[in-house]
Amino acid sequence: MLGQIMDRPLLISSLLEHAETTHGCSEIVSRRCEGDIHRYTMRDAAKRARKIANLLGRLGINQGDRIGTLAWNNYRHYELYYGISGTGAVLHTINPRLFAEQLVYIINHAEDRWIFVDLTFVPLLEAIKDQISAVEGFIVMCDESHMPETSLNNAHCYETMIAAESDEYEWPEFDERSACSMCYTSGTTGNPKGVVYSHRSTVIHALSSIGEEVMGLASTSCFLPVVPMFHVNAWGTPYSAAITGAKQVFPGPGMDGASLWELIEAEEPDLLLGVPTVWLMLLNHMDSIGKKLDSVENVIVGGSAAPISMIRAFQEKHDAFLIHAWGMTEMSPIGTLNSRNKHMENMPLEERYQLQAKQGRPIFGVEMKIIDDNNNELPRDGVAYGRLMVRGPWIINGYYKNEAADNFVDGWFDTGDVATIDDKNYLTIVDRSKDVIKSGGEWISSIDLENVAVGHPELAECCVIGVRHAKWDERPILLVIRNEGSSIDEQGVLDYLEDKIVKWWTPDAVVFVDELPHTATGKLHKVPLRQKYENYLLELEGA
């Protein structure tokens, strides 16, 4: 017996239609590449998205064709989210922080027909244009007065192109399991892998992410997503905003502390979303000007773990609650959130900080478990740790063009993370499986060690890697960047760590460096560091 319920497809266009009719006056504020601040409404965005749909039709774009975007968080990119996917074409957001050879690979691998590009990134495409010759043309996201001279073949001005189009368009209906967008992983080893999202998975993800236990978005909300629209759809917030009517404040290329503060002061967002490196810049700027983030109530942190020193700084200096989030490109991306709850309200502050440092509990739709090397499930006791496996309606069941099938075990996706889960279902990421350090048969979490070390007021950034050791197989060394003006030495760092970690976690060496490599998504890139320092301790002993 089946239920007698209408079968209406869950489509990206349905989100936009709801936003236009229900939240048409909701504001969208953007810092443009041109330098000024642009503001308009959801109703304006919907009209321009229909113009884009008509433009794509005139260009001969069909359902399933891939259209690339190389753009910041701004109103034009927002229009493309709906104008492209709404027609049945596939929005391919391209991460400009990838290396040139990776950009070439993913543009060709995705078989992008056209690319929309912000002014900032035109030179990136000009440098590789001869290697992406299958791309039919480029549309530069600006008006005629800012249209640059460019060597790109068949380049056009965005505003001129859409001005010629009607804002009347009937969004088509099709199978909700059709692809709506795609994003490539950052590819720290090997080529990036394509992740393809469906209309159905994206809408369900957006619905599950807006509740009070997750992002807490509503029509009264104002949020500033620093997490990029060019990677994993800005954590799905462009879709969540359409459901709720929340005001959106897009930072464009202004990701530094001063630029973010300018927007925060003017627009008064209550929610910020981004990675720890961005919030460190903002916190440092706020310290330098002696101001407080008065409007901000919650700060969602993802990408990598935030140290307790950051949790404490937001709470004690700005009265803002830091919410850890965890997810992956392969998960659309949200898996868990550590939102405020009643249990936390009664905790002593330091105990609450320790709980906030966990990656949180799964949102509805995500199932997770940890397993050992024999694929046996491990207990949820907060002690046992193993490979983290997930499944759910917005988690991939394969990569684009069927690559890397070994990431899937009995219908579960192997995240590549090592984790613990406690009896209240709180997840703690111990490490990436390739980054965890095995020393004399015991495991050391590079993440935990980094987060303790970076709490030192004279250290700007820390990275822990395992290197070869004659007796213990592997031992940790700590690579650090000093704050400007600091003269702290190795012993000073080790003294700081002494009462904060177990003794056998103590790094065998502290190495001071001027910079540390990062992936295209802002995470520490440890592969080249492990290669460079592989024999560091052996050579030290030999010396």
Side-chain angles (χ1 to χ4, degrees):
M1 179 178 178
L2 298 177
Q4 294 177 299
I5 301 297
M6 291 182 184
D7 189 11
R8 301 291 298 142
L10 300 175
L11 301 175
I12 300 300
S13 58
S14 65
L15 296 176
L16 187 64
E17 288 177 317
H18 171 77
E20 185 177 17
T21 56
T22 307
H23 305 298
C25 294
S26 294
E27 197 172 13
I28 300 172
V29 180
S30 303
R31 184 187 298 282
R32 304 200 307 168
C33 290
E34 296 89 325
D36 60 339
I37 301 297
H38 176 275
R39 57 183 72 235
Y40 73 170
T41 66
M42 187 70 80
R43 185 173 292 114
D44 298 323
K47 287 182 179 179
R48 284 166 60 92
R50 289 194 291 272
K51 284 175 171 281
I52 291 160
N54 283 317
L55 170 61
L56 295 179
R58 185 159 60 84
L59 294 174
I61 301 302
N62 301 309
Q63 183 176 344
D65 287 346
R66 274 74 67 204
I67 304 296
T69 65
L70 201 62
W72 297 107
N73 292 16
N74 58 50
Y75 69 103
R76 291 182 179 121
H77 206 177
Y78 189 74
E79 296 159 4
L80 292 170
Y81 263 58
Y82 289 95
I84 294 171
S85 297
T87 67
V90 180
L91 170 79
H92 173 208
T93 56
I94 302 169
N95 189 339
R97 294 172 180 154
L98 294 170
F99 297 117
E101 58 268 25
Q102 292 176 316
L103 290 174
V104 169
Y105 174 81
I106 68 171
I107 290 168
N108 290 333
H109 191 259
E111 301 175 82
D112 292 330
R113 288 191 59 186
W114 283 76
I115 296 178
F116 289 81
V117 56
D118 262 340
L119 286 168
T120 313
F121 305 125
V122 170
L124 290 182
L125 292 177
E126 288 176 331
I128 61 173
K129 67 181 189 300
D130 294 336
Q131 300 172 73
I132 53 171
S133 56
V135 176
E136 297 169 28
F138 304 86
I139 298 177
V140 183
M141 295 161 68
C142 64
D143 56 28
E144 283 291 350
S145 66
H146 292 90
M147 185 68 183
E149 291 289 332
T150 177
S151 61
L152 292 174
N153 296 321
N154 199 20
H156 303 271
C157 171
Y158 182 93
E159 293 297 340
T160 302
M161 292 285 274
I162 68 169
E165 303 298 335
S166 168
D167 63 10
E168 296 291 326
Y169 181 83
E170 190 73 29
W171 298 109
E173 287 192 3
F174 40 78
D175 190 331
E176 64 182 10
R177 289 171 174 78
S178 301
C180 69
S181 61
M182 64 189 303
C183 179
Y184 279 73
T185 62
S186 54
T188 55
T189 56
N191 287 321
K193 296 186 286 291
V195 174
V196 182
Y197 311 114
S198 71
H199 286 256
R200 177 179 185 271
S201 71
T202 301
V203 173
I204 295 174
H205 178 272
L207 285 167
S208 293
S209 69
I210 61 178
E212 192 65 32
E213 282 291 306
V214 192
M215 292 188 185
L217 289 177
S219 60
T220 54
S221 304
C222 173
F223 69 94
L224 192 160
V226 186
V227 56
M229 292 174 74
F230 57 67
H231 188 67
V232 206
N233 300 336
W235 297 349
T237 55
Y239 307 114
S240 304
I243 295 172
T244 62
K247 176 180 175 180
Q248 300 172 87
V249 181
F250 291 131
M255 313 275 275
D256 59 286
S259 297
L260 291 175
W261 165 238
E262 181 185 0
L263 278 178
I264 292 168
E265 185 178 37
E267 307 302 329
E268 299 184 329
D270 50 53
L271 173 65
L272 310 178
L273 306 96
V275 298
T277 49
V278 167
W279 301 140
L280 184 60
M281 287 190 292
L282 177 62
L283 288 170
N284 288 340
H285 178 73
M286 301 310 294
D287 285 345
S288 72
I289 63 173
K291 295 278 190 178
K292 182 181 176 183
L293 301 168
D294 290 314
S295 69
V296 178
E297 297 174 7
N298 294 300
V299 180
I300 299 182
V301 175
S304 56
I308 286 181
S309 57
M310 182 175 288
I311 298 172
R312 182 179 289 110
F314 272 115
Q315 184 64 60
E316 297 178 8
K317 295 181 179 180
H318 303 283
D319 197 26
F321 187 88
L322 187 142
I323 300 172
H324 253 126
W326 170 82
M328 303 181 71
T329 306
E330 292 89 341
M331 298 174 67
S332 298
I334 300 176
T336 64
L337 253 92
N338 200 343
S339 54
R340 191 195 308 256
N341 58 44
K342 234 175 177 26
H343 177 59
M344 290 181 178
E345 291 176 5
N346 301 319
M347 281 184 167
L349 203 51
E350 288 300 322
E351 186 179 337
R352 195 193 80 189
Y353 291 157
Q354 294 294 330
L355 181 56
Q356 280 179 260
K358 294 175 180 284
Q359 278 61 60
R361 297 186 286 189
I363 68 174
F364 176 74
V366 175
E367 299 174 68
M368 64 184 188
K369 66 178 180 178
I370 53 174
I371 62 174
D372 62 20
D373 290 339
N374 296 315
N375 297 338
N376 298 310
E377 184 170 357
L378 296 169
R380 299 171 189 249
D381 58 8
V383 178
Y385 53 85
R387 292 156 52 205
L388 177 59
M389 315 294 287
V390 293
R391 67 182 180 187
W394 57 76
I395 297 168
I396 64 167
N397 62 9
Y399 289 100
Y400 183 54
K401 298 184 177 177
N402 299 316
E403 297 177 344
D406 56 343
N407 285 80
F408 303 89
V409 179
D410 298 328
W412 292 76
F413 174 69
D414 187 341
T415 65
D417 283 323
V418 176
T420 66
I421 303 174
D422 69 17
D423 58 353
K424 293 183 175 64
N425 222 25
Y426 277 92
L427 172 74
T428 300
I429 300 296
V430 175
D431 223 328
R432 293 293 290 167
S433 59
K434 60 181 178 290
D435 293 337
V436 70
I437 300 163
K438 192 169 186 180
S439 179
E442 298 289 344
W443 294 97
I444 298 173
S445 167
S446 68
I447 292 174
D448 286 350
L449 192 44
E450 287 162 0
N451 282 343
V452 172
V454 82
H456 194 293
E458 293 186 50
L459 301 183
E461 191 171 14
C462 299
C463 177
V464 172
I465 57 172
V467 301
R468 293 173 61 194
H469 190 275
K471 180 178 180 181
W472 303 112
D473 294 328
E474 266 192 322
R475 287 295 299 159
I477 65 170
L478 175 62
L479 308 171
V480 300
I481 300 174
R482 295 184 182 98
N483 282 329
E484 190 173 347
S486 170
S487 59
I488 188 170
D489 60 9
E490 180 179 53
Q491 193 56 50
V493 174
L494 295 178
D495 288 345
Y496 174 80
L497 295 174
E498 186 174 7
D499 61 350
K500 298 175 179 64
I501 58 174
V502 293
K503 188 172 182 178
W504 54 272
W505 277 32
T506 303
D508 280 26
V510 177
V511 182
F512 294 93
V513 296
D514 294 326
E515 60 181 2
L516 290 166
H518 293 82
T519 69
T521 53
K523 300 175 184 177
L524 285 167
H525 191 9
K526 297 187 178 182
V527 174
L529 293 174
R530 281 195 292 265
Q531 292 170 345
K532 180 177 180 179
Y533 292 96
E534 179 184 13
N535 295 315
Y536 185 84
L537 293 179
L538 297 178
E539 292 168 357
L540 209 62
E541 288 292 324

